[in-house]
Amino acid sequence: MGLVQETQRSLYAAVGATVWVVRTLRDVPSWAEHVWQEREQVMHRLGGAYGRLAGRGEVFLGEAQQGLGGWGHVVGQAARRIPGIAAVEGAVVGAFVREEQLPISHYDRLTAGEIVQKLPGLSQRELREVRGYETRSQARARVVVRIDELCEKEPWPGYDEMKLDEILPRARALSGEAQEELVSYENRHKHRRTIVESFGYE
């Protein structure tokens, strides 16, 4: 199995594991005190196991980063060019991300209006990260609704993660209709003038 395929498989496994744990805990009866105590013990054990796994993962990733240099970034970019991976990654990260890790600096200090203004500049992955954090914290309807409006299919998988010199050659090979759709997407999001002007749309 190739590295990109293994990355995709790992992301899906993470999502599946999260769903399994949530459903398992949800289905544990809590109507009797002794059962509730058992439920608390299960949660405690799961929490301890999760902490140990997280610690091992942190050590492993630290060692990998030292040993592989920029390969982690390269693998991440490659994986996001698989259909659906960027959205899955964003949703998973959004469930655990901390404020200082968000793509918008000083997020908690900003008003809903200030955040909404910054959202179009984010990738589909980043939008889902912010949505996950927002729903876990202040849950401001204006922010969540705007994110949902911006969450849509990219012109092609990995588009939002690409640089201009990667986008332009591929975009030139598209049909006129596809180019128009690409520019429409670009106008709703990052609105990079070079892309908009290259295909004659405003």
Side-chain angles (χ1 to χ4, degrees), residues 90-91 103-104 118-133 146-152 160 185 189:
I104 297 177
K118 296 178 181 294
L119 293 175
L122 303 184
S123 68
Q124 293 296 320
R125 172 179 57 86
E126 291 170 332
L127 284 169
R128 287 164 173 82
E129 290 179 11
V130 172
R131 191 188 195 286
Y133 180 83
R146 182 55 180 148
I147 291 175
D148 288 344
E149 291 174 349
L150 290 169
C151 284
E152 58 180 314
D160 285 344
Y185 177 90
H189 293 273

Side-chain angles (χ1 to χ4, degrees), residues 73-136:
H73 177 68
V74 172
V75 170
Q77 284 190 324
R80 290 167 197 147
R81 297 184 185 186
I82 300 172
I85 281 294
V88 171
E89 180 186 355
V92 171
V93 172
F96 305 100
V97 70
R98 299 190 299 271
E99 188 228 358
E100 63 270 20
Q101 298 172 314
L102 292 171
I104 297 177
S105 300
H106 310 298
Y107 186 89
D108 287 344
R109 303 180 193 175
L110 302 178
T111 65
E114 290 171 328
I115 293 171
V116 165
Q117 289 180 352
K118 296 178 181 294
L119 293 175
L122 303 184
S123 68
Q124 293 296 320
R125 172 179 57 86
E126 291 170 332
L127 284 169
R128 287 164 173 82
E129 290 179 11
V130 172
R131 191 188 195 286
Y133 180 83
E134 179 65 34
T135 55
R136 289 189 292 111

